[in-house]
Amino acid sequence: MNAIKVENLTKRYGEVLAVDDISFVAPTGATVGLLGGNGAGKTTTIAMLLALLVPTAGRINVLGHDMAKDRFAALARMNFSSPYVALPARLTVRENMRVYGHLYDVPRVEQRIAALSRELDLGAILDRPAGQLSAGQKTRVALAKALINRPEVLLLDEPTASLDPDTGDLVRTWLEQYRAESGCTILLASHNMAEVERLCSHVVMLKKGRVVDRGSPDELLERYGRHDMEDVFLDIARDRRQAVPA
Amino acid sequence: MKPMFRRIWGLMYRHLALYRRSWPRLVELSYWPILQMCIWGFTARFLAARMGSPGLMAGATLLGGVLLWEVTLRSQMGMSLSFLEEIWSRNLGHIFVSPLRPFEMVAALISMSIIRMLLGVMPAILLAWALYAFNLFTVGPVLILFFVNLMIMGWAVALGVVSLVLRHGAGAEPLAWGVLFGLAPFSAVFYPVSVLPSFIQPFSYALPTTHVFEGMRAALLQGVIRWDHLAAAFGLNLIWLACAALLFTRQFHAARVSGALISIGE
């Protein structure tokens, strides 16, 4: 069973082809990495998955819902986190959580906030304005916002960007725990190859809007004859080496 | 609470929480209406002192015009600025990937506009009564119908502004402050339509606000309720609101096609 199914997805802006006929699936309960250099089409793909952007062609199905016809039913069961989208800075963390608790129709929202506060260690900052938090605290708050509705599909755009190794590790550990406990499907766009190796069971490699390779991290390492994903990434990004035929 | 109403409340709560934490925003709501009332109130008092009864009448319509125009202006700005707050806080991405429907967002913005308008205009109305013995409520219950029409007109213009911001990004922001002032000379706020050049009068009568201000003058000066003007205002508002809703729907879809929702703050 696939939580996310993308078929022949294309996005064109005038002459620019941002995403070019890509297809992939994310099996239910898996963490799938969407990798590629800047301009590869990751953010555009995520924006289409979230229905922020209408595809030029192709189909997206999330949790059994066709995103072109029934996006709100899917959006209620999904969530999203990105360091590039902020929460209102003057509202406290608790107020922000309440806002999204209402928007996602979360039952017993105060209890949910308390639970997330314990799990993500937000107790000390719950009543501080979101704009006064450090980068690490903001990331944990953004993650709490993304988990407020117990999403079945979680889209993460560089969730640990600009975090120190300790905080990054805490976030990754927590994501692993949440996925294991909830059976949530995670689609992760990241430039951190160690993170991808650790979290992802499947990887989709994008370049210039096209899928250029895919497989588990182990399969990709073997295919490119490399020891870490960073080298695989560079091989693909710089056309240094072709995959070794199986 | 039904999920739809909860989502609308969620977005309203976001703005109400913001006001609770920002006294400059609260002060700003009533600052301009009060300032307007002071300037025009003393002008009206001066006219009354110099011209006697005709000056008193002119002053009353002047103050009525000032207060009712603020209803339209605050309704329009209340809705437009609440939307712009989401852009300024880079929060629009989160809002539009939530299950909040576009019409629910509009409903929340309209609700915030009503709250902002009441907080902005009510102190000015009270001030007019306290300083100049001008009681707008002597117009009677029809005042509510005037208010409703002026608010609807404000929302229609605000929807147009939001649509343009959705399509053209931050470059369209200044419209939120200035666009309604462009309609003021044709809305017969301080003078009857008859003083306008004849070729402008048809345009003036196409504005719902014109019919409200003509009705206000009839109520204040002659003590009569012009139901014909009120009916025209409601009818025109329906058309204006329908056009604005169509524009918003189209521009929202266009923004989803062009990617403007992702880069709207730029």
Side-chain angles (χ1 to χ4, degrees), chain B residues 35 59 63 73 80 87 140-141 146 167 195 200 202 205 207 210-211 229 237 245 249 251 263:
Chain B
L35 195 69
L63 288 182
L73 188 63
S80 307
I87 294 178
F146 289 164
R167 191 76 176 94
V195 306
I200 290 178
Y205 278 124
L207 301 173
T210 303
H211 295 277
H229 276 304
N237 262 327
T249 307
Q251 296 300 346
S263 57

Side-chain angles (χ1 to χ4, degrees), chain B:
Chain B
M1 199 188 295
K2 277 188 170 182
M4 179 181 78
F5 294 117
R6 199 152 171 226
R7 289 190 291 268
I8 292 171
W9 167 243
L11 199 56
M12 287 178 68
Y13 175 80
R14 174 253 188 278
H15 290 284
L16 293 171
L18 182 69
Y19 277 96
R20 205 172 56 182
R21 305 203 160 269
S22 176
W23 66 263
R25 280 184 169 83
L26 269 177
V27 170
E28 185 271 335
L29 286 180
S30 56
Y31 172 77
W32 189 249
I34 286 175
L35 195 69
Q36 287 277 79
M37 181 44 57
C38 287
I39 293 168
W40 294 107
F42 289 119
T43 308
R45 182 177 278 182
F46 171 73
L47 290 174
R50 282 293 176 95
M51 298 162 66
S53 181
L56 203 62
M57 293 300 216
T61 57
L62 197 62
L63 288 182
V66 169
L67 288 172
L68 290 186
W69 181 249
E70 284 295 323
V71 172
T72 315
L73 188 63
R74 296 297 130 192
S75 299
Q76 181 259 312
M77 289 181 72
M79 190 168 166
S80 307
L81 296 184
S82 296
F83 180 77
L84 288 175
E85 289 277 7
E86 304 296 359
I87 294 178
W88 296 331
S89 60
R90 292 169 55 225
N91 189 41
L92 216 54
H94 285 313
I95 297 286
F96 284 132
V97 301
S98 79
L100 184 81
R101 278 68 166 167
F103 79 87
E104 291 168 353
M105 184 193 75
V106 170
L109 295 179
I110 284 177
S111 305
M112 281 313 301
S113 142
I114 294 171
I115 293 169
R116 287 177 63 136
M117 185 278 292
L118 289 174
L119 286 174
V121 176
M122 279 305 167
I125 290 175
L126 290 175
L127 196 71
W129 172 73
L131 286 182
Y132 315 114
F134 175 76
N135 185 359
L136 191 63
F137 296 104
T138 54
V139 171
V142 74
L143 186 67
I144 294 168
L145 300 179
F146 289 164
F147 264 57
V148 169
N149 270 295
L150 294 170
M151 285 192 294
I152 295 173
M153 172 73 180
W155 300 334
V157 173
L159 259 186
V161 171
V162 168
S163 305
L164 291 172
V165 172
L166 274 173
R167 191 76 176 94
H168 301 288
E173 272 185 35
L175 292 173
W177 283 272
V179 71
L180 204 61
F181 286 106
L183 296 178
F186 312 107
S187 291
V189 181
F190 304 116
Y191 41 76
V193 177
S194 56
V195 306
L196 291 171
S198 57
F199 69 94
I200 290 178
Q201 289 184 15
F203 174 67
S204 177
Y205 278 124
L207 301 173
T209 38
T210 303
H211 295 277
V212 172
F213 288 108
E214 291 285 76
M216 176 206 72
R217 272 185 291 277
L220 281 174
L221 300 178
Q222 293 139 32
V224 295
I225 297 170
R226 291 286 302 270
W227 294 107
D228 54 335
H229 276 304
L230 266 173
F234 272 113
L236 286 167
N237 262 327
L238 271 180
I239 296 169
W240 273 70
L241 205 55
C243 292
L246 187 66
L247 180 69
F248 173 77
T249 307
R250 287 189 170 193
Q251 296 300 346
F252 185 76
H253 181 73
R256 287 182 62 226
V257 171
S258 70
L261 291 184
I262 304 167
S263 57
I264 202 160
E266 296 167 4

Side-chain angles (χ1 to χ4, degrees), chain A residues 22 54 64 68 98 101 149 156 159 161 167 202 206-207 212 215:
Chain A
I22 67 170
V54 177
R98 278 184 192 142
N149 62 327
L156 302 171
T167 314
H202 299 68
L206 293 176
K207 186 178 179 185
V212 288

Side-chain angles (χ1 to χ4, degrees), chain A residues 152-201:
Chain A
E152 294 163 66
V153 168
L154 187 55
L155 305 187
L156 302 171
D157 191 5
E158 299 186 43
T160 57
S162 78
L163 294 185
D164 65 65
D166 180 42
T167 314
D169 180 69
L170 283 173
V171 168
R172 283 187 277 275
T173 302
W174 206 87
L175 283 172
E176 282 176 318
Q177 275 177 12
Y178 178 73
R179 190 197 57 75
E181 287 166 13
S182 68
C184 170
T185 307
I186 299 176
L187 186 71
L188 172 79
S190 177
H191 288 142
N192 184 328
M193 294 304 122
E195 178 171 280
V196 169
E197 275 190 72
R198 175 173 162 183
L199 294 179
C200 299
S201 54

Side-chain angles (χ1 to χ4, degrees), chain A residues 8-126:
Chain A
N8 308 110
L9 193 65
T10 299
K11 183 63 190 180
R12 179 184 286 279
Y13 297 106
E15 295 297 305
V16 178
L17 200 52
V19 172
D20 185 7
D21 195 27
I22 67 170
S23 299
F24 67 88
V25 295
T28 301
T31 299
V32 175
L34 207 54
L35 302 192
N38 296 325
K42 304 185 299 293
T43 302
T44 304
T45 302
I46 286 181
M48 287 191 279
L49 281 164
L50 289 163
L52 273 176
L53 197 57
V54 177
T56 308
R59 290 171 59 127
I60 299 170
N61 191 292
V62 179
L63 297 167
H65 300 285
D66 182 343
M67 292 302 279
K69 296 175 184 161
D70 196 16
R71 69 180 192 271
F72 293 111
L75 288 173
R77 299 164 63 190
M78 301 165 68
N79 216 314
F80 159 72
S81 177
S82 165
Y84 308 114
V85 182
L87 292 169
R90 285 186 173 273
L91 268 61
T92 64
V93 172
R94 190 191 301 276
E95 287 167 342
N96 270 302
M97 293 296 108
R98 278 184 192 142
V99 169
Y100 286 95
H102 291 312
L103 289 181
Y104 283 91
D105 194 27
V106 175
R108 292 182 294 280
V109 70
E110 297 300 331
Q111 287 177 31
R112 181 66 183 145
I113 293 170
L116 284 168
S117 170
R118 279 192 304 274
E119 289 165 16
L120 287 164
D121 192 21
L122 301 176
I125 57 171
L126 213 46

